[in-house]
Amino acid sequence: MECNLKLEHVGLISDLMQGKDLTKKLHDLMFSSSSSTTSYETKLVLLDKILVSYDKALTKLKWEANMEEEETKITVSKMVDSPCSFTNESPRGEVFDQEIKHKKVSKKRKTMDSWTKQMKVCSGTVLDGSLGDGYNWRKYGQKDILGAKFPRGYYRCTHRHAQGCLATKQVQKSDEESTYEITYKGIHTCIQASHAKKPFPSKSKICMEENKHHNHQKNKAQEEKIEQPHETTFNFGSEVEVKIDLETKEDIFPSFFFPSPSIGSETMIENHFTETFSPAFLSPSTSESNIFCLSPCNFGSSGLGLSVQTSESDITDIVSATTSVNNSPIANLDDLDLFFDNMDFDTDFPINSPEYFTL
DNA sequence: GGTATTTGACCATG
DNA sequence: CATGGTCAAATACC
């Protein structure tokens, strides 16, 4: 089995590398001196090839994901003990249990066929939602869910109308107090100005001082609104539970892009590709610790039953490589190279993690 | 007055 | 028919 998967990986990596090369070619074409002479059709063809190669990779991943679903559960539980799992320590020094589960594919409705990612955030303190995932959400509904103690909140991207962004999320407060389950659906196609510019507050500031301050500033009415999770659920420094649903949409092409070395890399990623990454990858990036918690986990969650051995130092390398902020709105493929260079394709490239390729 | 939230109604799905 | 997801009018807030 392992051999088979390794073979699959070779194919995957090949496809991805091809995609990368083609992207670079396209980049060169677009920004080289001969750019103006290159026909539009040529660029389109190139673009099409890129899409095809990534599509191939995604198809393989989907297949693997289905085949390995059971194994994934096992592996995921292993991950909890791995050095790549989430940081155990919460900002307040509390230790939370960590678990990664796979959401059972709902047979109920499939209107939004895109990837679904759930994050369970145990938060003892209150954080402003905008600080949390960097996206602006607007609540459009609330529903009592059978068997759930608390109602589920439905949020859509604020820029839905302005920019046609179809990203939505559902926030469900679990029975356990202060624990929320956030399900992201769809991908952000919007440009969130505040998102990119938002500084990364320090861990202590966010989790200890600011929260306290924040809480004190809340008036009573707002405190009662603590169940309005968009305002309260993004203390990723605490427990973060990520559930990945591989239920896929055929062409959510961009969402699989290297979401995760996202420590401070959101700017880079956004600049380089699209705004369409999983918010859970990019966005919970309001706290250094939070980001750092997430990223290693992304590396560690070997969704396809393979062990991933991304060392902390590796992650740090990636982080440092990707933290450099590129203010140019134009893709800088050097950074992409950096990212790729930091990936160990031959061994344990984390692409086998469903978190990387939620489709 | 503009924007966000609340909430009951409606719709789609199994 | 039960349930979950979305719509949209009413309401609240700034």
Side-chain angles (χ1 to χ4, degrees):
Chain A
M1 178 49 114
E2 193 173 344
C3 288
N4 290 339
L5 282 172
K6 283 289 180 189
L7 281 174
E8 281 299 317
H9 287 176
V10 172
L12 274 174
I13 293 165
S14 169
D15 289 337
L16 290 167
M17 291 301 286
Q18 190 184 355
K20 179 200 169 188
D21 290 337
L22 289 166
T23 306
K24 196 160 190 172
K25 277 181 192 170
L26 181 60
H27 173 267
D28 291 338
L29 272 180
M30 289 176 72
F31 300 103
S32 68
S33 55
S34 60
S35 172
S36 54
T37 59
T38 309
S39 75
Y40 180 67
E41 284 73 20
T42 306
K43 292 171 186 172
L44 271 184
V45 167
L46 216 44
L47 190 59
D48 198 49
K49 283 181 181 175
I50 294 169
L51 288 170
V52 166
S53 62
Y54 282 132
D55 202 44
K56 277 163 61 182
L58 288 173
T59 304
K60 288 174 185 172
L61 279 166
K62 285 184 200 175
W63 181 84
E64 282 193 23
N66 288 333
M67 296 301 289
E68 302 298 328
E69 189 178 31
E70 287 308 309
E71 284 188 24
T72 298
K73 290 173 185 170
I74 298 167
T75 314
V76 155
S77 66
K78 273 169 67 181
M79 179 206 121
V80 173
D81 296 323
S82 89
C84 300
S85 60
F86 295 124
T87 301
N88 272 355
E89 199 173 349
S90 81
R92 288 168 296 144
E94 298 168 20
V95 176
F96 292 85
D97 290 333
Q98 297 158 358
E99 54 177 328
I100 302 286
K101 300 174 189 168
H102 276 257
K103 178 187 170 190
K104 285 188 176 158
V105 177
S106 167
K107 312 241 178 183
K108 183 92 184 175
R109 199 177 275 217
K110 259 193 164 179
T111 50
M112 196 72 176
D113 244 5
S114 61
W115 53 265
T116 301
K117 184 183 181 70
Q118 294 191 343
M119 305 190 68
K120 196 173 184 177
V121 181
C122 181
S123 160
T125 54
V126 177
L127 267 184
D128 188 294
S130 62
L131 269 178
D133 65 7
Y135 289 95
N136 298 318
W137 300 99
R138 177 171 181 162
K139 191 172 186 177
Y140 66 89
Q142 179 171 304
K143 189 88 180 178
D144 285 321
I145 300 302
L146 199 71
K149 203 170 171 180
F150 302 96
R152 175 179 298 167
Y154 297 89
Y155 300 82
R156 67 164 64 103
C157 180
T158 305
H159 308 293
R160 186 183 186 91
H161 296 300
Q163 299 181 34
C165 179
L166 294 175
T168 64
K169 74 172 179 180
Q170 300 173 5
V171 183
Q172 173 80 61
K173 186 177 181 181
S174 78
D175 294 348
E176 313 160 44
E177 197 175 346
S178 301
T179 303
Y180 298 92
E181 195 169 290
I182 307 170
T183 302
Y184 290 95
K185 290 185 178 180
I187 51 179
H188 279 279
T189 56
C190 62
I191 298 170
Q192 307 246 351
S194 61
H195 175 80
K197 289 174 189 169
K198 201 161 286 177
F200 301 125
S202 73
K203 176 180 176 177
S204 59
K205 185 181 176 187
I206 256 199
C207 299
M208 315 218 22
E209 299 164 15
E210 194 169 279
N211 287 341
K212 207 171 178 181
H213 181 65
H214 190 77
N215 281 339
H216 284 167
Q217 284 205 324
K218 294 265 178 194
N219 59 32
K220 194 161 186 177
Q222 282 174 317
E223 282 176 342
E224 286 172 2
K225 284 171 66 180
I226 195 165
E227 285 186 29
Q228 300 305 320
H230 67 290
E231 294 237 285
T232 65
T233 59
F234 295 102
N235 190 347
F236 290 94
S238 306
E239 177 189 33
V240 179
E241 175 177 334
V242 181
K243 299 179 183 179
I244 304 302
D245 186 352
L246 281 173
E247 190 178 334
T248 59
K249 185 166 193 157
E250 299 74 48
D251 47 6
I252 303 289
F253 160 70
S255 65
F256 84 97
F257 274 118
F258 338 111
S260 200
S262 58
I263 303 165
S265 64
E266 57 179 297
T267 306
M268 176 204 97
I269 296 175
E270 286 182 2
N271 285 347
H272 285 200
F273 294 98
T274 66
E275 313 290 332
T276 57
F277 301 97
S278 157
F281 286 125
L282 293 179
S283 49
S285 48
T286 45
S287 151
E288 295 162 44
S289 61
N290 293 341
I291 303 161
F292 207 75
C293 278
L294 277 173
S295 296
C297 183
N298 290 337
F299 283 91
S301 60
S302 177
L304 296 170
L306 288 173
S307 69
V308 174
Q309 301 163 352
T310 310
S311 71
E312 215 167 311
S313 60
D314 286 340
I315 295 163
T316 308
D317 287 344
I318 294 165
V319 169
S320 62
T322 54
T323 334
S324 59
V325 174
N326 177 7
N327 289 324
S328 164
I330 300 168
N332 178 350
L333 289 179
D334 290 341
D335 284 350
L336 180 58
D337 278 335
L338 257 179
F339 173 79
F340 272 99
D341 290 342
N342 277 287
M343 290 298 173
D344 189 352
F345 281 89
D346 292 329
T347 56
D348 295 305
F349 184 53
I351 57 174
N352 40 39
S353 162
E355 290 189 60
Y356 270 79
F357 299 94
T358 47
L359 311 175

